[in-house]
Amino acid sequence: MKLVIIGGVAGGATAAARARRLDEKAQIVIFERGEYVSFANCGLPYYVGQVIKERAELLVSTPETFKGKYNIDVRVQTDVLAIDRQAKRVRVRDLQTGQSFDEPYDKLILSPGAEPLRPPLPGVDLPGVFSLRSIPDSDRIKAVVDAGQAKTAVVIGGGFIGLEMADNLVERGLKVTLVEALDQLMPPLDREMAALAHQNARAKGVDLRLSTKITGFAQAQGGGLTVDTEGGGQITCDMAILSVGVRPENALAKAAGLELGPRGHILVNNALQTNDPDIYAVGDAVQIWDYVTGLPVAIALAGPANRQGRIAADNAMGRLSVYRGSLGTAVVKLFGQTIASTGPSQKFLAQNNVAHLVSYSHSANHATYYPGAETMLVKLIFAPSSGRVLGGQIVGGEGVDKRIDVLATAIRAGMSVFDLEELDLAYAPPFGSARDPINVAGMVAANIMRGDVKAVLPPAVAAMDPERDVLIDLRFKEELDEAATIPGSLHIPLPMLRAALPGLDKSKRYILYCAIGLRGYLGYRIMSQSGFEAVNLGGGYGLYTPWMS
């Protein structure tokens, strides 16, 4: 049995190691076009930012360790030129010698990854315009920053790499402009959750320009670059980082006649097998499916690539293993803020006509009387018929990663919001509360499911009927001295609401809100049981502000 793997890093390297554990006698060869077969590409921005001090720490495995540990033949700086499916061999060029040769295979695993998009804009190849995919890329960027040659930078693209680069460049003392063509950062998030990241980035001094398209680059007088934007605006900087997305490396697969999806990703079945039964594909280059809905997606994350590599190796070596799809669980750090998501977003479900409900809850990461408590906003997305958890998004500080992992596990387990209410989660004052943020999120969602509250979201305020709808701000006076209110609101602090009821008109509908939604819910219970039509503004003023920004 001879297994050939094209590409290393998360998918290919994992597949090779798994295959060896299954078959000690198999001949296993990895061809990697780059210099490094297995490196921590997710750590590259932090190497530029000097959070990771030593370059060697990015190297997960080398050809020598693969040989010694697994008896795997790793050939770096070798480019696979073609796949001959009939003869079951690949054509390979040694990039150091220039010589080409054929390598036969019994089974083939493709892990070519994805390459950063480098749009064909004027000046895109000028010195000072960088992309970040590999260790050499990070070396080039870091050398400029280390030498003090850059005081200002434009980061183009608000996805994972763009945010991490902006964060690390600010930490290095650069003035950063972050440009995104969409109206939000982090496209997998729903916009109101991303808006919290917008507030944070601007508070840290980032010049954030949303709904802005780049049209080209030029050399600036006196050095540096000018970045041209649609509409004629220019940004002057010392360096620019392109982070506008990736496209699958599909040239080999396409030339070999393997089936591709509409966006060029390699199509695979649940064994990660292509339309050629002897060829498997994993990682950023493949089209997979969303675990919750079964709809096709492409997810360029290391976790799914790693798991796909293991499953593809199982099947290539004769052990049946099934890939069940991905939740796309992800987390990113941005200036001390943690942004995380799992499962499909609300906008994805809406675009695909999948029925859903949402809830919002604010909770502290641990007991508020213990020093250092930080608030997180939890968005739950759930099925209206059963309360089954479909997705979740959390923005906050410490502890967000823990909670998103609980939600990811709950989705995999088919749990409902009612189950979240009852989860037994660890509690001690430094780590959590007696009612964990996940419990609270489950309770808020379950209240909606049971009909214990009627909630509206911030856009409903803009659509209010002034003849019928009345806003009531339930916060205390001292809170209003420090924060704004929604124009036109009545101010009735919650403890005074019952006494104020006789003076209110029962022909009106009352939209109740507080800081985070809890007192709005309590006010709803008071008014609805007293014969009034009322709704709670979900997430309170804390959600209204970023949503309407």
Side-chain angles (χ1 to χ4, degrees), residues 170-341:
V170 168
E171 289 296 319
R172 293 296 305 272
L174 276 69
K175 175 66 177 176
V176 173
T177 300
L178 181 55
V179 180
E180 169 57 54
L182 300 177
D183 65 350
Q184 69 167 86
L185 300 176
M186 289 293 291
L189 260 65
D190 292 314
R191 192 187 184 282
E192 76 278 10
M193 301 299 285
L196 298 170
H198 304 167
Q199 291 180 330
N200 182 40
R202 289 178 171 131
K204 299 299 182 182
V206 173
D207 181 3
L208 179 60
R209 305 198 187 184
L210 302 173
S211 302
T212 301
K213 293 182 179 180
I214 301 298
T215 58
F217 305 87
Q219 293 285 1
Q221 291 184 355
L225 298 166
T226 59
V227 181
D228 298 322
T229 66
E230 197 171 69
Q234 282 191 335
I235 309 167
T236 302
C237 62
D238 298 316
M239 66 188 306
I241 313 290
L242 281 171
S243 179
V244 293
V246 295
R247 63 178 165 216
E249 291 261 21
N250 64 7
L252 270 177
K254 185 176 182 179
L258 300 181
E259 292 180 359
L260 304 179
R263 294 168 53 200
H265 296 86
I266 303 168
L267 296 182
V268 293
N269 60 20
N270 61 9
L272 298 171
Q273 192 175 41
T274 70
N275 57 301
D276 185 318
D278 293 320
I279 301 179
Y280 300 80
V282 302
D284 298 354
V286 303
Q287 177 179 293
I288 53 171
W289 46 96
D290 174 65
Y291 178 81
V292 172
T293 65
L295 293 168
V297 292
I299 296 175
L301 292 172
N306 187 293
R307 291 185 287 278
Q308 291 162 20
R310 179 182 174 92
I311 290 170
D314 280 358
N315 289 297
M317 306 308 285
R319 175 179 290 190
L320 180 62
S321 191
V322 172
Y323 186 70
R324 295 188 290 161
S326 177
L327 294 175
T329 306
V331 64
V332 66
K333 168 186 168 294
L334 182 67
F335 308 118
Q337 187 180 60
T338 307
I339 306 163
S341 64

Side-chain angles (χ1 to χ4, degrees), residues 9 32-41 44-45 47-48 55 58-59 77 129-144 239 241:
V9 197
E32 168 57 48
R33 184 169 52 196
E35 187 178 348
Y36 306 97
V37 64
S38 183
F39 65 94
N41 49 0
L44 297 178
Y47 173 58
V48 173
R55 186 175 185 273
L58 296 170
L59 302 179
Q77 295 185 285
V129 180
F130 301 93
S131 295
L132 182 62
R133 184 196 183 195
S134 65
I135 290 178
D137 291 339
S138 67
D139 288 337
R140 287 187 284 270
I141 297 170
K142 189 172 185 293
V144 172
M239 66 188 306
I241 313 290

Side-chain angles (χ1 to χ4, degrees), residues 378-402:
V378 181
K379 176 177 184 176
L380 273 186
I381 308 169
F382 50 99
S385 57
S386 63
R388 178 191 170 204
V389 182
L390 305 177
Q393 299 171 24
I394 311 178
V395 179
E398 187 176 344
V400 166
D401 55 336
K402 167 184 173 180

